[in-house]
Amino acid sequence: MPLALFWFFAVLMLVGGLAVISLRNPVAAALSMVASFVGLAGLFIGLNAYFVGIIQILVYAGAIMVLFLFIIMLLDLKTEEKRTPKVVPIVGGLGIVLAFTIQLLGVLGNTPDTKSQPLDLAAGAAEYTERSPGIAAKLEAGSLPDVNLVGDVIFTGYNLPLQIVGVLLLVATVGVVVLSSRQTT
Protein backbone atom coordinates (compact mmCIF):
# COMPACT_ATOMS: atom_id res chain seq x y z
CA MET A 1 0.00 0.00 0.00
CA PRO A 2 1.36 3.41 -0.86
CA LEU A 3 2.18 5.50 2.18
CA ALA A 4 -0.22 8.27 1.15
CA LEU A 5 -3.14 5.82 1.03
CA PHE A 6 -2.18 4.40 4.42
CA TRP A 7 -2.23 7.86 5.99
CA PHE A 8 -5.49 8.74 4.22
CA PHE A 9 -7.29 5.67 5.58
CA ALA A 10 -5.68 5.99 9.01
CA VAL A 11 -6.72 9.64 9.34
CA LEU A 12 -10.21 8.81 8.01
CA MET A 13 -10.57 6.09 10.63
CA LEU A 14 -9.32 8.27 13.49
CA VAL A 15 -11.36 11.34 12.52
CA GLY A 16 -14.45 9.14 12.18
CA GLY A 17 -13.80 7.64 15.60
CA LEU A 18 -13.34 11.05 17.20
CA ALA A 19 -16.52 12.29 15.54
CA VAL A 20 -18.44 9.31 16.97
CA ILE A 21 -17.66 10.35 20.53
CA SER A 22 -17.79 14.12 20.01
CA LEU A 23 -20.95 14.64 17.92
CA ARG A 24 -24.17 15.10 19.88
CA ASN A 25 -26.52 14.04 17.09
CA PRO A 26 -26.78 10.20 17.21
CA VAL A 27 -27.44 9.87 13.48
CA ALA A 28 -24.37 11.96 12.64
CA ALA A 29 -22.34 9.90 15.11
CA ALA A 30 -23.54 6.67 13.47
CA LEU A 31 -22.59 7.98 10.03
CA SER A 32 -19.18 8.97 11.40
CA MET A 33 -18.80 5.38 12.56
CA VAL A 34 -19.44 4.29 8.97
CA ALA A 35 -16.58 6.56 7.86
CA SER A 36 -14.37 5.00 10.53
CA PHE A 37 -15.31 1.51 9.32
CA VAL A 38 -14.50 2.45 5.72
CA GLY A 39 -11.06 3.70 6.82
CA LEU A 40 -10.45 0.47 8.72
CA ALA A 41 -11.54 -1.59 5.70
CA GLY A 42 -9.09 0.37 3.54
CA LEU A 43 -6.29 -0.47 5.97
CA PHE A 44 -7.25 -4.17 5.91
CA ILE A 45 -7.23 -4.20 2.11
CA GLY A 46 -3.87 -2.42 2.15
CA LEU A 47 -2.54 -5.28 4.27
CA ASN A 48 -3.72 -7.79 1.60
CA ALA A 49 -6.55 -8.96 3.88
CA TYR A 50 -9.14 -8.55 1.15
CA PHE A 51 -11.71 -10.84 2.72
CA VAL A 52 -11.63 -9.05 6.08
CA GLY A 53 -11.81 -5.65 4.36
CA ILE A 54 -14.80 -6.61 2.26
CA ILE A 55 -16.53 -8.21 5.24
CA GLN A 56 -15.83 -5.02 7.21
CA ILE A 57 -17.72 -3.03 4.58
CA LEU A 58 -20.56 -5.50 4.06
CA VAL A 59 -21.23 -6.52 7.66
CA TYR A 60 -20.20 -3.58 9.82
CA ALA A 61 -20.62 -0.56 7.56
CA GLY A 62 -23.69 -2.08 5.92
CA ALA A 63 -25.75 -4.37 8.11
CA ILE A 64 -24.70 -3.41 11.63
CA MET A 65 -24.90 0.34 11.00
CA VAL A 66 -28.33 0.01 9.38
CA LEU A 67 -29.42 -1.84 12.53
CA PHE A 68 -27.93 0.94 14.68
CA LEU A 69 -29.78 3.57 12.66
CA PHE A 70 -33.07 1.70 13.09
CA ILE A 71 -32.48 1.52 16.84
CA ILE A 72 -31.60 5.23 16.98
CA MET A 73 -34.78 6.05 15.09
CA LEU A 74 -36.80 4.01 17.62
CA LEU A 75 -35.37 5.91 20.59
CA ASP A 76 -36.79 9.14 21.94
CA LEU A 77 -34.02 11.53 20.91
CA LYS A 78 -35.51 14.56 22.65
CA THR A 79 -34.85 13.10 26.09
CA GLU A 80 -31.23 12.44 25.12
CA GLU A 81 -30.70 16.04 24.07
CA LYS A 82 -31.78 17.33 27.50
CA ARG A 83 -29.10 15.40 29.35
CA THR A 84 -26.06 17.31 30.46
CA PRO A 85 -22.65 15.62 30.41
CA LYS A 86 -21.41 14.46 33.81
CA VAL A 87 -17.83 14.67 34.95
CA VAL A 88 -17.45 11.14 36.36
CA PRO A 89 -18.08 9.27 33.06
CA ILE A 90 -15.78 11.64 31.19
CA VAL A 91 -12.98 11.14 33.72
CA GLY A 92 -13.60 7.38 33.64
CA GLY A 93 -13.40 7.35 29.85
CA LEU A 94 -10.18 9.35 29.85
CA GLY A 95 -8.76 6.93 32.45
CA ILE A 96 -9.57 3.98 30.19
CA VAL A 97 -7.89 5.73 27.25
CA LEU A 98 -4.82 6.43 29.38
CA ALA A 99 -4.65 2.83 30.63
CA PHE A 100 -5.01 1.50 27.08
CA THR A 101 -2.27 3.85 25.83
CA ILE A 102 0.10 2.75 28.59
CA GLN A 103 -0.62 -0.90 27.85
CA LEU A 104 -0.14 -0.37 24.11
CA LEU A 105 3.19 1.39 24.65
CA GLY A 106 4.31 -1.45 26.93
CA VAL A 107 3.41 -4.09 24.35
CA LEU A 108 5.01 -2.19 21.48
CA GLY A 109 8.15 -1.54 23.53
CA ASN A 110 8.61 -5.27 24.21
CA THR A 111 7.83 -6.44 20.67
CA PRO A 112 10.96 -7.26 18.63
CA ASP A 113 11.24 -5.45 15.31
CA THR A 114 11.49 -8.43 12.96
CA LYS A 115 10.53 -8.64 9.34
CA SER A 116 7.62 -10.94 8.61
CA GLN A 117 8.33 -14.17 6.78
CA PRO A 118 6.55 -14.91 3.48
CA LEU A 119 3.86 -17.56 3.59
CA ASP A 120 4.88 -21.11 2.77
CA LEU A 121 2.09 -21.95 0.33
CA ALA A 122 3.62 -25.33 -0.58
CA ALA A 123 3.44 -26.50 3.03
CA GLY A 124 -0.16 -25.28 3.22
CA ALA A 125 -1.01 -27.12 0.02
CA ALA A 126 0.47 -30.32 1.45
CA GLU A 127 -1.69 -29.93 4.56
CA TYR A 128 -4.91 -29.47 2.58
CA THR A 129 -4.23 -32.14 -0.07
CA GLU A 130 -6.43 -34.83 1.48
CA ARG A 131 -8.88 -32.64 3.42
CA SER A 132 -9.76 -30.13 0.71
CA PRO A 133 -8.28 -30.67 -2.76
CA GLY A 134 -9.72 -27.38 -4.08
CA ILE A 135 -7.86 -25.32 -1.49
CA ALA A 136 -4.69 -27.33 -2.09
CA ALA A 137 -4.89 -26.68 -5.84
CA LYS A 138 -5.24 -22.93 -5.31
CA LEU A 139 -2.33 -22.90 -2.84
CA GLU A 140 -0.17 -24.88 -5.29
CA ALA A 141 -1.05 -22.34 -7.99
CA GLY A 142 0.39 -19.62 -5.78
CA SER A 143 -2.81 -17.86 -4.75
CA LEU A 144 -4.15 -17.56 -1.23
CA PRO A 145 -7.86 -18.50 -1.18
CA ASP A 146 -8.90 -16.38 1.84
CA VAL A 147 -12.62 -17.14 1.66
CA ASN A 148 -12.07 -20.88 1.25
CA LEU A 149 -9.63 -21.01 4.16
CA VAL A 150 -11.88 -19.01 6.48
CA GLY A 151 -14.88 -21.15 5.53
CA ASP A 152 -12.91 -24.34 6.05
CA VAL A 153 -11.76 -23.28 9.52
CA ILE A 154 -15.19 -22.03 10.59
CA PHE A 155 -17.27 -24.93 9.32
CA THR A 156 -14.88 -27.74 10.27
CA GLY A 157 -13.42 -26.50 13.55
CA TYR A 158 -16.04 -24.12 14.93
CA ASN A 159 -19.35 -25.32 13.52
CA LEU A 160 -21.18 -25.66 16.86
CA PRO A 161 -20.12 -22.21 18.22
CA LEU A 162 -21.10 -20.70 14.85
CA GLN A 163 -24.57 -22.24 15.07
CA ILE A 164 -24.95 -21.06 18.70
CA VAL A 165 -24.00 -17.50 17.76
CA GLY A 166 -26.51 -17.63 14.90
CA VAL A 167 -29.30 -18.69 17.26
CA LEU A 168 -28.31 -15.96 19.76
CA LEU A 169 -28.44 -13.31 17.03
CA LEU A 170 -31.85 -14.59 15.90
CA VAL A 171 -33.19 -14.45 19.49
CA ALA A 172 -31.78 -10.92 19.92
CA THR A 173 -33.39 -9.78 16.67
CA VAL A 174 -36.77 -11.22 17.67
CA GLY A 175 -36.39 -9.60 21.11
CA VAL A 176 -35.73 -6.18 19.58
CA VAL A 177 -38.78 -6.50 17.34
CA VAL A 178 -40.98 -7.54 20.28
CA LEU A 179 -39.69 -4.76 22.55
CA SER A 180 -40.07 -2.09 19.88
CA SER A 181 -43.62 -3.21 19.04
CA ARG A 182 -44.63 -2.96 22.72
CA GLN A 183 -43.42 0.64 22.95
CA THR A 184 -45.37 1.80 19.93
CA THR A 185 -48.77 0.38 21.07
Side-chain angles (χ1 to χ4, degrees):
M1 167 184 271
L3 191 60
L5 278 178
F6 168 79
W7 283 111
F8 172 75
F9 287 123
V11 168
L12 178 67
M13 184 183 69
L14 291 176
V15 168
L18 288 174
V20 169
I21 60 172
S22 63
L23 292 176
R24 296 192 58 89
N25 186 347
V27 175
L31 292 177
S32 298
M33 188 177 283
V34 170
S36 180
F37 287 157
V38 168
L40 185 61
L43 290 176
F44 280 135
I45 290 172
L47 292 171
N48 293 330
Y50 299 106
F51 179 73
V52 177
I54 291 172
I55 290 298
Q56 178 78 24
I57 293 289
L58 291 178
V59 173
Y60 288 101
I64 299 291
M65 288 313 299
V66 168
L67 181 65
F68 277 10
L69 286 175
F70 278 128
I71 291 171
I72 289 170
M73 296 299 177
L74 290 175
L75 296 175
D76 185 16
L77 298 178
K78 293 179 182 175
T79 58
E80 290 293 324
E81 292 174 358
K82 294 176 184 174
R83 293 175 49 188
T84 58
K86 297 180 180 176
V87 175
V88 174
I90 293 173
V91 171
L94 290 175
I96 290 172
V97 169
L98 181 65
F100 176 74
T101 303
I102 291 171
Q103 183 180 10
L104 183 64
L105 290 175
V107 169
L108 291 177
N110 293 328
T111 303
D113 190 19
T114 58
K115 187 172 183 174
S116 63
Q117 300 295 322
L119 293 175
D120 189 7
L121 297 179
E127 183 178 331
Y128 280 99
T129 300
E130 293 181 17
R131 195 169 70 191
S132 178
I135 293 176
K138 289 181 182 177
L139 288 172
E140 287 174 356
S143 67
L144 187 62
D146 292 348
V147 177
N148 296 2
L149 290 171
V150 170
D152 182 67
V153 169
I154 287 176
F155 289 110
T156 57
Y158 301 98
N159 194 13
L160 181 62
L162 179 72
Q163 300 298 324
I164 291 171
V165 168
V167 170
L168 284 175
L169 287 174
L170 178 65
V171 169
T173 304
V174 171
V176 166
V177 170
V178 169
L179 289 175
S180 65
S181 66
R182 285 185 183 169
Q183 289 179 351
T184 57
T185 56

